[in-house]
Amino acid sequence: MTTESLADTGTGVGADMGTRAGTDTRVDGGNGTGAGTDGGTGAGADGGTDGGADTAAQEWRSWHEGRVATVTAPYGPLSLTGTHWLADHPGGRLPGLPGHWREDGDQVVLTAVDGDGLTADGRPLTGELRLAADSGPFEASRIAAGGRRLVVLRREGLWAVRDVDPDSAARAAFQGIVATAYDREWELAGRFRPYDESRTVLVENADGRERGLGLGGEIAFTVGGTEHTLQVAVEGDGTLWAVFADTTSGQDSFRFRFRFLRPAAPAADGTVTVDFNRALLPPCAFADHFICPFPPPGNTLPIAVPAGERTVAG
C-alpha cells in the first residue's frame, strides 16, 4: 500500500443503548463519556426495544470510544507535527529537528553530535547511524529527541522524517470526534467482487501530490432499492479498505470531505458486511501532515451517508 490509513482498534468500554439515528455523540478525549443521545430507537426499529440492536449499539459505542483512545494516545495521529521530505532539504537539516539526515540508497543516514540530544533504541546517539523505514507504531520508532519520536518514512522511493510530539497543540486542543449514533439501517449486507488482477490508480493525496492507490476489487450493497459500489483495497490480512465520499462530504464544518471504511474479510462466498456506522475519519482529519489518499474515481456515492464519524469536534 503506497498511501496510509489509520486502523481502528475497536477497544474501549461503556455504551449507550437505544440511540436515535442522526444524533451526534461527542466522546471527550479526557474521560471517554458521550453526550447527545435521547433514549429513542434507531431508524430501523419497529417501535419496541430490540435486543440485537441494543447489542450492536453497545458494540458501536465501544468501538467509538476505542477510536478516541487511539486518536488521543501520546503517539497517536494528533501528535504528528511535521513530515519532512529529505529531497526538499538537500543540505540534510530538517526544520526543527536535530541531527543531519541524508538518504543513501535503501537507507537513511543520521549523523548526531552530543548537543543534538538524540537517542537510538533508548541510548544516547553520537556519530553515524543507518536507518531503514520504521514499520511499526510511532512509539516504536528507533530515534527519539526527548519525548518526541522521529519516524523514518519511505513512500514510492522518497524518504521523509516525521516529528511526533505528545505535547502537540492539536492533541492539547482536541475535544472529541463528532459521530452519528448507531443506526442498524446503515449496517448493510454486501458482496465483494474481486478483480481478475489488482490495479493501481493515481489519486491526489492530502499533501497535493498524486500517488498510486492499489485496488483489488469492489463491494456492492443496496440502499433504498438501488445498488451502489465502492472500489476497495485488499489488505494483507484479507480485510478491505475503501476511501469514499458521499453527497454530504465537505458540505459544512460538521462533515469532513471524505472518510475511510474498513469491512472485515469477506466470507468464502464473497458476502461481507458493509457497516457505515464505522465509517471513520482519515488521519489527515487530525493532523495536516499525513498523506491520506482522496477517493478514487467512482467512490463518491450519489447518496447521503449520515452514519459514522463526521468531523473533529471544536
Side-chain angles (χ1 to χ4, degrees):
M1 192 64 56
T2 57
T3 48
E4 63 199 343
S5 59
L6 175 66
D8 56 273
T9 62
T11 59
V13 295
D16 290 340
M17 293 185 288
T19 54
R20 184 186 303 271
T23 302
D24 291 335
T25 68
R26 182 177 301 186
V27 180
D28 183 86
N31 58 28
T33 58
T37 58
D38 61 6
T41 55
D46 58 6
T49 301
D50 188 310
D54 286 349
T55 299
Q58 291 175 1
E59 292 174 349
W60 177 88
R61 185 65 179 184
S62 294
W63 169 82
H64 186 56
E65 293 182 357
R67 279 278 296 157
V68 172
T70 297
V71 167
T72 58
Y75 297 101
L78 287 165
S79 297
L80 180 63
T81 61
T83 297
H84 307 289
W85 297 95
L86 269 59
D88 295 336
H89 304 281
R93 296 294 181 181
L94 305 182
L97 301 187
H100 181 277
W101 305 77
R102 65 180 176 86
E103 58 182 277
D104 184 14
D106 291 334
Q107 293 180 314
V108 166
V109 179
L110 169 60
T111 304
V113 298
D114 285 335
D116 287 332
L118 292 172
T119 61
D121 304 320
R123 299 178 180 179
L125 174 64
T126 58
E128 185 176 282
L129 180 65
R130 290 181 170 270
L131 300 166
D134 288 304
S135 58
F138 287 160
E139 60 267 30
S141 63
R142 297 185 62 191
I143 305 301
R148 296 154 64 192
R149 295 293 186 271
L150 306 184
V151 181
V152 178
L153 169 74
R154 193 178 194 187
R155 286 290 186 274
E156 298 186 332
L158 297 177
W159 291 94
V161 178
R162 285 181 156 164
D163 187 358
V164 184
D165 185 356
D167 294 327
S168 72
R171 184 167 181 253
F174 182 73
Q175 298 180 32
I177 299 173
V178 177
T180 303
Y182 175 80
D183 178 357
R184 64 185 181 186
E185 288 194 347
W186 284 103
E187 187 174 347
L188 307 172
R191 183 167 295 277
F192 173 60
R193 300 168 180 165
Y195 296 145
D196 292 336
E197 295 183 357
S198 60
R199 60 191 66 171
T200 299
V201 296
L202 283 177
V203 297
E204 185 178 357
N205 283 216
D207 63 353
R209 303 184 185 186
E210 286 192 338
R211 295 183 177 87
L213 177 65
L215 300 170
E218 65 180 25
I219 49 175
F221 51 91
T222 299
V223 178
T226 301
E227 183 179 273
H228 301 277
T229 61
L230 289 173
Q231 299 178 87
V232 295
V234 181
E235 304 281 30
D237 60 359
T239 60
L240 308 178
W241 173 40
V243 186
F244 80 98
D246 64 272
T247 59
T248 70
S249 299
Q251 292 296 310
D252 52 45
S253 60
F254 297 104
R255 296 171 179 85
F256 197 69
R257 58 189 182 273
F258 63 94
R259 293 179 286 173
F260 289 174
L261 189 67
R262 291 188 165 276
D269 63 357
T271 55
V272 63
T273 298
V274 182
D275 188 358
F276 283 101
N277 293 289
R278 301 199 183 196
L280 53 145
L281 294 172
C284 52
F286 304 100
D288 293 334
H289 307 286
F290 286 101
I291 51 177
C292 308
F294 290 173
N299 270 28
T300 297
L301 296 171
I303 56 173
V305 181
E309 296 181 353
R310 288 165 40 181
T311 193
V312 178

